[in-house]
Amino acid sequence: MTYPELCMVIDGERVRGGGRRTHDVVNPATGDTLAALPLADPVDLDRALDAAARGFRRWRHSTPHERAAVLQGAAQLMLERQDELARVAVLEQGKTLAEAKVEVLMNVGLFNFYAGEVFRLYGRTLVRPAGQRSTVSREPVGPVAAFAPWNFPIGNPGRKLGAPIAAGCSVILKAAEETPASALGVLQCLLDAGLPGEVAQAVFGVPDEVSRHLLGSPVIRKLSFTGSTAIGKHLVKLAADDMKRTTMELGGHGPVLVFDDVDVDQVLDTMVAAKYRNAGQVCVSPTRFIVQEDVYDRFRSGFAERAGRIAVGDGLDPANQMGPMANPRRTDAMERLIGDATARGATLLAGGGRIGNRGFFHQPSVLSDVPLDAAVMNEEPFGPVAMINPFANEEAMLAEANRLPYGLAAYAWTRDAGRQRRIAREIESGMVGINTTMIGGADAPFGGVKWSGHGAEDGLEGVEACLVTKAVHEG
Ligand code: NAD
């Protein structure tokens, strides 16, 4: 299996070599180096900013038809290149090939949805006396600096590029240095579909250097970031110095409320698969299982039994259901979090350790009766560990769900219609799944509240986040 030669893409040109620093991209299933990634120096970043400024002057005047043609064309190319894109994503990130193919399809759906939305970015005319006219219109915000993490190597860059392009902005994308080839593959589809080179750039670098440089420039008018809450808070402060718009997709700690009126096996079949998707490295991953006492024992033993059956190995082998973790930081974090929880008295029902010493594999793990002061009950584990605790009633379960400052995704399982509505109303979360884990879609806003961030991607909201409003009054 070949892995592409890596570069940056600035002003439509492939940039590499030239004595630049490099970062080794590693296959997490083997620990082997795949390729060296060139890192931007300040001159590269200034070139990208200059191109983005020109790109904005051009693309802000593009017609909806032009934008739609690029987005639809890129979606078609992604479909044609699905196998190649998915294989590259598995090589550099580790998820299973089946998951990577779904990621491509989700991105295809998003680009096609945005291609339709570009025709509906309406303004309005206000009621005024005869002879006067007041209009409200929406305009692209300006060049966007977008930072995409490694956990969805295709989908994250797709979101970061798609919305600005639909809105008429230019964009400088810094995708994760761990998964650059997937991001470059998505950008290439857009460029091959006719996107002018100056409209979208891809740079890589030392993250703190790149974000300080780009956010320090008055050219950039918007920050879009997906990643941890800690880094998100830092970047929002940088953006505030120049009053740049922000869309922040940060961490979560997904509560799952399981009431005693459900079919326990059906809930387990759905939630166990959701928990270990992408080895738990998903911001909307179900994490804290808040289970009503009457079904608690059945739920936790069924969870542990299913977790123990998951086949873990190289994501390219179709027999495997879970791949490695994306990098050694995550296996180290699992060790620390599980060790801390058991030291504080939690019961380890399944897994708990690394698998082998080649690559970054970790066992699907289950903890129960976890004290609330354990680190794993308070910080996003971002890994293959589920925590299951018993609660007496709806009130206590809701209190636990809302205990943390995070509010990205929450799930509840109950057949009681009144309770479904109460939970939907009371839970502090940007997205809520009731009797389902399907909480996204190209047409649905994806985003959180509280420490999980603000603003949304996908849906009409994703494009609106790249627009500003202008009111014009004519006497
Ligand atoms: P991290 O916080 O160091 O990095 C998270 C992301 O932010 C990475 O893509 C990284 O390249 C980028 N980043 C880091 N410092 C930056 C800076 N100064 N400027 C710009 N970008 C910067 O952590 P990590 O080890 O890569 O990931 C671990 C944690 O990040 C996880 O525990 C999880 O909470 C969070 N995370 C969240 C998402 C998500 O989808 N919301 C995705 C990936 C990681």
Side-chain angles (χ1 to χ4, degrees), residues 147-152 156 159 174-179 205-212 215 223 225-232 234-235 238 249-252 281-284 327 329-330 333 337 379-383 406 408 446 452:
F147 299 86
W150 41 263
N151 60 334
F152 285 86
N156 286 328
R159 279 178 169 159
K174 191 205 81 62
E177 286 66 32
E178 279 129 328
T179 54
V206 175
D208 190 50
E209 283 176 26
V210 179
S211 52
R212 281 183 194 277
L215 297 176
L223 157 69
F225 174 76
T226 300
S228 60
T229 294
I231 301 292
H234 163 68
L235 295 183
L238 291 182
E249 295 280 0
L250 308 178
Q281 301 163 118
V282 180
C283 54
V284 295
N327 55 59
R329 295 192 301 285
R330 298 314 318 144
L337 293 170
E379 77 181 71
E380 184 176 35
F382 223 63
Y406 297 104
L408 189 60
F446 185 100
S452 294

Side-chain angles (χ1 to χ4, degrees), residues 337-363:
L337 293 170
I338 293 173
D340 169 74
T342 50
R344 288 172 192 271
T347 306
L348 181 65
L349 293 178
R354 293 184 59 144
I355 305 174
N357 53 13
R358 187 160 188 256
F360 316 127
F361 293 96
H362 195 279
Q363 293 173 311

Side-chain angles (χ1 to χ4, degrees), residues 45-386:
L45 298 175
D46 282 339
R47 271 192 68 206
L49 285 164
D50 177 64
R54 276 184 283 112
F56 179 58
R57 286 197 291 276
R58 172 170 180 178
W59 198 243
R60 69 192 291 250
H61 297 302
S62 58
T63 65
H65 294 87
E66 282 174 88
R67 298 180 204 173
V70 164
L71 289 161
Q72 265 169 347
Q76 181 57 35
L77 289 171
M78 288 193 79
L79 266 185
E80 289 165 17
R81 299 173 191 175
Q82 182 185 11
D83 288 349
E84 180 194 336
L85 284 164
R87 281 183 172 277
V88 165
V90 175
L91 277 180
E92 59 186 13
Q93 197 271 345
K95 64 178 60 184
T96 65
L97 194 56
E99 285 181 39
K101 287 186 177 178
V102 170
E103 205 184 321
V104 178
L105 293 181
M106 284 167 63
N107 205 91
V108 167
L110 184 64
F111 280 7
N112 280 327
F113 174 78
Y114 280 162
E117 277 316 292
V118 299
F119 292 97
R120 291 186 282 272
L121 305 179
Y122 306 126
R124 64 191 197 273
T125 306
L126 306 182
V127 177
R128 290 289 180 270
Q132 295 177 23
R133 211 168 89 104
S134 289
T135 55
V136 180
S137 61
R138 268 131 22 118
E139 299 181 348
V141 61
V144 177
F147 299 86
W150 41 263
N151 60 334
F152 285 86
I154 300 161
N156 286 328
R159 279 178 169 159
K160 297 292 174 213
L161 292 166
I165 288 167
C169 299
S170 59
V171 52
I172 302 177
L173 171 70
K174 191 205 81 62
E177 286 66 32
E178 279 129 328
T179 54
S182 300
L184 290 167
V186 176
L187 175 59
Q188 197 57 49
C189 290
L190 288 157
L191 294 171
D192 290 348
L195 186 74
E198 66 269 39
V199 176
Q201 339 285 318
V203 298
F204 301 98
V206 175
D208 190 50
E209 283 176 26
V210 179
S211 52
R212 281 183 194 277
H213 197 107
L214 297 184
L215 297 176
S217 164
V219 168
I220 298 297
R221 295 310 326 151
K222 177 180 165 126
L223 157 69
S224 177
F225 174 76
T226 300
S228 60
T229 294
I231 301 292
K233 288 180 178 179
H234 163 68
L235 295 183
V236 160
K237 287 173 194 158
L238 291 182
D241 282 342
D242 189 35
M243 211 50 87
K244 299 183 200 300
R245 285 273 295 274
T246 54
T247 294
M248 309 304 291
E249 295 280 0
L250 308 178
H253 207 288
V256 186
L257 285 67
V258 181
F259 290 92
D260 60 9
D261 60 353
V262 297
D263 175 340
V264 172
D265 284 318
Q266 186 215 338
V267 177
L268 283 170
D269 287 343
T270 311
M271 294 317 291
V272 173
K275 172 68 252 179
Y276 299 108
R277 178 166 79 111
N278 201 10
Q281 301 163 118
V282 180
C283 54
V284 295
S285 187
T287 295
R288 272 174 299 148
F289 289 83
I290 299 166
V291 182
Q292 204 163 10
E293 281 164 354
D294 282 357
V295 288
Y296 179 65
D297 282 333
R298 268 179 67 207
F299 189 85
R300 63 177 180 156
S301 60
F303 207 110
E305 189 256 322
R306 283 168 175 79
R309 274 196 267 131
I310 291 172
V312 183
D314 192 326
L316 287 175
D317 180 343
N320 291 326
Q321 296 162 294
M322 189 180 107
M325 306 206 71
N327 55 59
R329 295 192 301 285
R330 298 314 318 144
T331 39
D332 290 350
M334 285 304 99
E335 206 166 11
R336 173 176 61 82
L337 293 170
I338 293 173
D340 169 74
T342 50
R344 288 172 192 271
T347 306
L348 181 65
L349 293 178
R354 293 184 59 144
I355 305 174
N357 53 13
R358 187 160 188 256
F360 316 127
F361 293 96
H362 195 279
Q363 293 173 311
S365 304
V366 183
L367 292 165
S368 75
D369 301 287
V370 195
L372 294 188
D373 64 355
V376 75
M377 293 300 284
N378 297 283
E379 77 181 71
E380 184 176 35
F382 223 63
V385 60

